[in-house]
């Protein structure tokens, strides 16, 4: 999972192309001038971040690693 999958289509945050200061500046200006959009992203982003917390992700990783190990052992 990468930033695009985590943030969705501007649902949980804003993505800008790497090394594009103008795009970053434009995205920041948009959010600075639109309080409701800023608040909506802040709220949605916090909820989305909880989905990727260590307490939720580590058990999934452990399960995946155990499946790989068991498959390699022939279990």
């Amino acid at each position: 999972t990468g930033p695009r999958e985590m943030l969705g289509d501007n649902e949980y945050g804003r993505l800008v192309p790497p090394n594009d200061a103008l795009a970053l500046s434009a995205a920041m200006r948009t959010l600075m001038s639109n309080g409701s959009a800023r608040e909506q992203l802040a709220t949605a982003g916090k909820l989305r971040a909880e989905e990727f917390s260590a307490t939720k992700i580590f058990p999934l990783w452990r399960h995946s690693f155990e499946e790989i190990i068991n498959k390699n052992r022939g279990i």
Side-chain angles (χ1 to χ4, degrees):
T1 303
R4 188 168 306 283
E5 292 82 12
M6 289 179 172
L7 296 177
D9 187 19
N10 291 319
E11 189 174 356
Y12 306 106
R14 295 284 190 260
L15 287 173
V16 296
N19 303 312
D20 190 339
L22 291 177
L24 177 59
S25 175
M28 291 173 68
R29 277 195 311 272
T30 298
L31 291 175
M32 287 173 60
S33 66
N34 188 335
S36 63
R38 186 174 58 247
E39 288 297 320
Q40 182 180 5
L41 279 179
T43 300
K46 287 175 188 174
L47 293 173
R48 183 69 167 165
E50 291 174 8
E51 294 178 31
F52 292 93
S53 69
T55 57
K56 291 192 178 188
I57 292 296
F58 286 163
L60 296 173
W61 285 357
R62 181 180 177 163
H63 178 74
S64 295
F65 287 130
E66 286 173 348
E67 283 185 343
I68 292 167
I69 290 167
N70 290 336
K71 183 177 178 183
N72 287 334
R73 288 183 181 166
I75 298 175

